[in-house]
């Protein structure tokens, strides 16, 4: 017994350290529309693009005051948020297990859930991308709201729960499921005769009233109950699209982005193995408990983003899964601990953790590579002393969902360039799809002769006003960034 626990905690501790190294922000930079929203927040601009997320805007404003244009500090904040959320999940699962799953209220279960959530690869975008923090910030208030609501019969904790709910709603739309979760918790307590109907009506009434008030405040500031982005997608979505998105979200809660056939086969085989082992264990142990509550919570947590869907071949939109994977990790670990044979249980835990670490490492590489591309491009533009136009060719889009310059390139140059000015930025062409991940990416400077060879019959229209004495040129190739800038 002691040896088993020592081995388990050694595995979990080693996993946490290793994942912390993966998340380390030293090689990460600003990406995509970081260059749009961070300068807006730095200038005190709230309610950006009709989003009502003032807590997120304030967090970016605070980061800017501390770190200015040092991307490392913003990513450090993201990592700390993820650490805090994992700790909060440990406390929440402990309370839930003791209250609703007393036969499974083991310290090892709570810490395993917390560590699995910390290393879980299917919500990596929220950690690796600065603006993905909105999901983590929402979770930072979402978890205490539930922790305090479980002790709602003490008026002080109920008030704290209401405060946390308002903060969560003001941070991320996925937390709007809190009233539904409160109803589920109250309903289960009523069924178990832990509480009375009058008290629960009062609690739910206050939460409902507060949520209606919050939505009215949101409407007052934005003139909309939803952001323009969400409303457009919901308004144009068909039922079959919503159903398809829902199932994609379910599968992506378990499966990593499937970038090639080998990855598809490996992930499918592994998850089939896990499913078979857990199903066998559940039936063998005559599995009967309140785990259906967690399943309901998981399904509800997917509804706020069902109109948005998720990428199945990259990490884009994985921030939508940050809150749903709270429930997924709980379900997986509780089922694993139903396995009676400790050796098999340990094998499944280690296998699951290794599976997550493999894909977390893959995500880390993609985001570090995307960061290298943005950093290299901005560094080279900073060296340009010309005050003419900047021509950009093959502007890269993404690396398997790690967005590079799908948007924000002009904003990046405007915000980051410290010396000199550029009259205008002319995007000759954009490169859609995945930018290849290479280790030997270089910067190659062209002379006037090489630049003249670029302006061929196919591209002469794009370069018809190019002035070699004052204009500059960037060309993003697979193995190098080609730079032309006239230096007398």
């Amino acid at each position: 017994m002691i040896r088993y626990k020592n081995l388990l905690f050694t595995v979990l501790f080693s996993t946490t350290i290793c994942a912390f190294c993966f998340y380390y922000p030293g090689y990460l930079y600003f990406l995509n529309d970081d260059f749009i929203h961070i300068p807006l927040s730095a200038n005190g601009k709230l309610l950006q693009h009709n989003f009502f997320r003032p807590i997120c805007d304030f967090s970016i404003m605070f980061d800017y005051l501390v770190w200015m244009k040092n991307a490392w500090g913003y990513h450090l904040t993201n990592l700390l948020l993820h650490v805090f959320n994992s700790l909060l999940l440990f406390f929440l699962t402990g309370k839930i297990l003791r209250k609703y799953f007393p036969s499974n209220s083991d310290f090892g279960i709570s810490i395993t859930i917390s560590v699995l959530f910390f290393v879980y690869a299917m919500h990596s975008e929220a950690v690796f991308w600065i603006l993905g923090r909105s999901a983590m910030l929402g979770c930072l208030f979402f978890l205490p709201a539930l922790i305090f609501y479980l002790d709602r019969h003490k008026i002080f904790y109920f008030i704290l729960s209401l405060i946390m709910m308002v903060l969560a709603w003001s941070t991320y739309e996925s937390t709007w499921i809190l009233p539904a979760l409160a109803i589920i918790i109250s309903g289960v307590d009523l069924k178990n005769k832990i509480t009375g109907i009058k008290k629960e009506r009062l609690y739910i009434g206050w939460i409902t009233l507060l949520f209606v008030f919050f939505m009215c405040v949101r409407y007052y500031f934005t003139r909309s109950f939803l952001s323009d982005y969400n409303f457009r997608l919901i308004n144009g979505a068909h039922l079959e699209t919503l159903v398809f998105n829902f199932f994609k979200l379910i599968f992506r809660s378990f499966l990593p982005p499937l970038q090639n056939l080998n990855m598809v086969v490996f992930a499918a085989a592994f998850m089939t193995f896990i499913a078979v082992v857990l199903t066998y264990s559940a039936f063998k142990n005559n599995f009967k408990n309140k785990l259906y509550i967690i399943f309901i919570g998981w399904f509800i947590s997917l509804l706020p983003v069902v109109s948005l869907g998720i990428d199945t071949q990259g990490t884009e939109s994985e921030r939508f899964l940050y809150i749903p994977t709270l429930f997924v990790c709980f379900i997986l670990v509780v089922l694993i601990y139903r396995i009676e044979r400790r050796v098999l249980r340990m094998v499944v835990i280690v296998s699951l953790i290794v599976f997550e670490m493999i894909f977390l490492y893959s995500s880390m590489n993609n985001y570090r590579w995307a960061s290298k591309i943005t950093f290299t491009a901005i560094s080279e533009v900073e060296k340009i002393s010309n005050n003419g136009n900047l021509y950009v060719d093959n502007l890269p889009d993404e690396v398997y969902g790690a967005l590079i310059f799908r948007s924000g390139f002009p904003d990046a140059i405007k915000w980051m360039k410290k010396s000199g000015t550029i009259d205008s930025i002319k995007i000759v062409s954009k490169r859609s799809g995945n930018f290849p991940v290479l280790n030997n990416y270089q910067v190659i400077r062209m002379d006037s002769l090489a630049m003249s060879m670029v302006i061929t019959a196919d591209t002469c229209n794009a370069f018809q006003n190019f002035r070699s004495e004052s204009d500059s040129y960037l060309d993003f190739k697979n193995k190098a960034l080609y730079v032309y800038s006239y230096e007398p």
Side-chain angles (χ1 to χ4, degrees):
M1 180 69 175
I2 296 177
R3 289 182 179 179
Y4 168 77
K5 284 193 174 182
N6 288 341
L7 178 60
L8 174 64
F9 294 143
T10 300
V11 169
L12 296 178
F13 179 77
S14 302
T15 299
T16 303
I17 297 300
C18 187
F20 196 90
C21 294
F22 287 176
Y23 287 129
Y24 181 71
Y27 301 95
L28 298 173
Y29 196 60
F30 301 109
L31 297 174
N32 200 47
D33 51 1
D34 285 344
F35 298 107
I36 298 174
H37 292 281
I38 294 177
L40 289 175
S41 296
N43 292 327
K45 177 68 175 178
L46 302 178
L47 311 183
Q48 301 166 21
H49 294 199
N50 209 39
F51 280 106
F52 189 81
R53 298 175 180 175
I55 305 298
C56 295
D57 297 331
F58 281 125
S59 76
I60 295 295
M61 289 171 61
F62 178 78
D63 262 2
Y64 183 79
L65 290 174
V66 177
W67 306 109
M68 302 298 285
K69 298 178 183 180
N70 184 355
W72 182 88
Y74 296 81
H75 285 287
L76 177 63
T77 300
N78 276 27
L79 176 54
L80 292 177
L81 285 172
H82 191 43
V83 171
F84 291 148
N85 285 334
S86 300
L87 291 173
L88 286 170
L89 180 61
F90 169 77
F91 292 112
L92 174 62
T93 53
K95 291 184 73 68
I96 292 176
L97 289 170
R98 288 191 296 272
K99 186 171 184 178
Y100 300 111
F101 305 86
S103 61
N104 293 301
S105 57
D106 184 271
F107 174 81
I109 298 180
S110 295
I111 197 169
T112 305
I113 293 172
S114 181
V115 170
L116 179 61
F117 180 75
F118 184 69
V119 306
Y120 209 68
M122 271 51 93
H123 56 222
S124 62
E125 182 192 45
V127 187
F128 287 123
W129 182 35
I130 292 174
L131 290 185
R133 76 168 54 172
S134 55
M136 293 192 294
L137 270 173
C139 192
L140 187 68
F141 303 114
F142 177 88
L143 291 170
L146 292 177
I147 291 172
F148 292 131
Y149 191 76
L150 290 171
D151 290 325
R152 63 194 174 281
H153 301 301
K154 300 175 183 178
I155 187 62
F156 177 69
Y157 289 127
F158 180 63
I159 293 173
L160 287 178
S161 179
L162 293 179
I163 293 172
M164 291 297 146
M165 287 184 185
V166 173
L167 292 174
W169 297 335
S170 303
T171 305
Y172 197 56
E173 290 78 8
S174 290
T175 63
W176 292 2
I177 65 170
L178 279 168
L181 296 181
I183 292 173
I184 292 173
I185 293 172
S186 294
V188 171
D189 287 352
L190 283 171
K191 183 179 179 181
N192 294 336
K193 298 180 180 179
I194 299 176
T195 184
I197 186 66
K198 290 185 178 180
K199 286 185 177 180
E200 298 309 313
R201 282 178 178 174
L202 183 63
Y203 297 140
I204 299 302
W206 273 108
I207 293 173
T208 303
L209 183 63
L210 194 61
F211 185 69
V212 170
F213 176 75
F214 164 78
M215 294 302 291
C216 290
V217 172
R218 178 189 175 94
Y219 185 83
Y220 174 80
F221 283 105
T222 65
R223 296 303 173 189
S224 174
F225 292 115
L226 297 173
S227 67
D228 294 339
Y229 181 59
N230 292 86
F231 180 78
R232 185 173 66 252
L233 288 171
I234 291 176
N235 192 42
H238 300 288
L239 179 60
E240 57 269 25
T241 301
L242 296 177
V243 172
F244 183 62
N245 284 348
F246 184 72
F247 281 102
K248 282 203 302 182
L249 289 162
I250 288 178
F251 287 119
R252 278 291 275 113
S253 296
F254 292 100
L255 294 173
L258 305 176
Q259 299 166 4
N260 54 59
L261 182 60
N262 292 333
M263 194 174 289
V264 172
V265 173
F266 170 67
F270 178 79
M271 294 312 296
T272 300
F273 163 71
I274 294 293
V276 169
V277 172
L278 296 184
T279 302
Y280 171 76
S281 173
F283 280 102
K284 183 179 179 181
N285 289 281
N286 192 21
F287 186 64
K288 292 180 180 179
N289 62 21
K290 303 178 182 66
L291 196 60
Y292 69 87
I293 303 170
I294 310 300
F295 273 98
I296 294 172
W298 172 37
F299 292 149
I300 290 175
S301 70
L302 298 174
L303 295 180
V305 295
V306 73
S307 66
L308 305 174
I310 192 170
D311 187 4
T312 57
Q313 296 182 322
T315 55
E316 184 182 0
S317 304
E318 280 191 343
R319 62 193 182 279
F320 299 157
L321 295 177
Y322 194 79
I323 288 178
T325 49
L326 295 169
F327 301 93
V328 172
C329 291
F330 188 99
I331 292 168
L332 286 173
V333 174
V334 170
L335 286 175
I336 288 172
Y337 271 81
R338 297 292 296 183
I339 300 174
E340 291 182 346
R341 295 179 61 185
R342 290 175 184 166
V343 174
L344 179 58
R345 185 193 308 170
M346 180 62 70
V347 168
V348 174
I349 290 174
V350 172
S351 300
L352 182 58
I353 287 176
V354 170
F355 177 82
E356 299 301 332
M357 294 294 285
I358 289 173
F359 289 100
L360 183 63
Y361 179 80
S362 176
S363 295
M364 175 200 72
N365 277 338
N366 292 339
Y367 279 96
R368 288 185 176 183
W369 175 241
S371 296
K372 182 176 182 178
I373 299 301
T374 59
F375 177 79
T376 301
I378 291 171
S379 298
E380 289 306 311
V381 173
E382 175 58 29
K383 297 175 184 177
I384 294 174
S385 58
N386 299 353
N387 294 329
N389 299 319
L390 174 63
Y391 290 76
V392 183
D393 209 358
N394 295 308
L395 186 67
D397 187 10
E398 63 171 303
V399 180
Y400 294 112
L403 301 182
I404 306 174
F405 282 127
R406 182 174 296 178
S407 61
F409 181 78
D411 303 87
I413 302 306
K414 179 181 178 181
W415 186 48
M416 300 298 291
K417 189 165 173 56
K418 300 175 184 177
S419 60
T421 59
I422 292 176
D423 287 346
S424 65
I425 297 175
K426 300 181 183 297
I427 308 297
V428 177
S429 67
K430 287 189 175 183
R431 179 174 183 163
S432 60
N434 291 304
F435 201 73
V437 179
L438 303 168
N439 294 323
N440 57 341
Y441 195 72
Q442 307 173 50
V443 175
I444 298 177
R445 304 187 185 282
M446 298 186 294
D447 55 22
S448 298
L449 178 61
M451 184 60 207
S452 65
M453 296 175 65
V454 171
I455 306 178
T456 62
D458 295 332
T459 59
C460 62
N461 289 333
F463 291 95
Q464 60 182 346
N465 296 319
F466 187 86
R467 299 164 296 178
S468 59
E469 297 81 7
S470 60
D471 293 345
S472 304
Y473 173 74
L474 297 182
D475 187 7
F476 293 84
K477 297 293 188 181
N478 289 355
K479 296 184 178 180
L481 171 64
Y482 287 82
V483 180
Y484 171 81
S485 179
Y486 175 74
E487 297 293 340

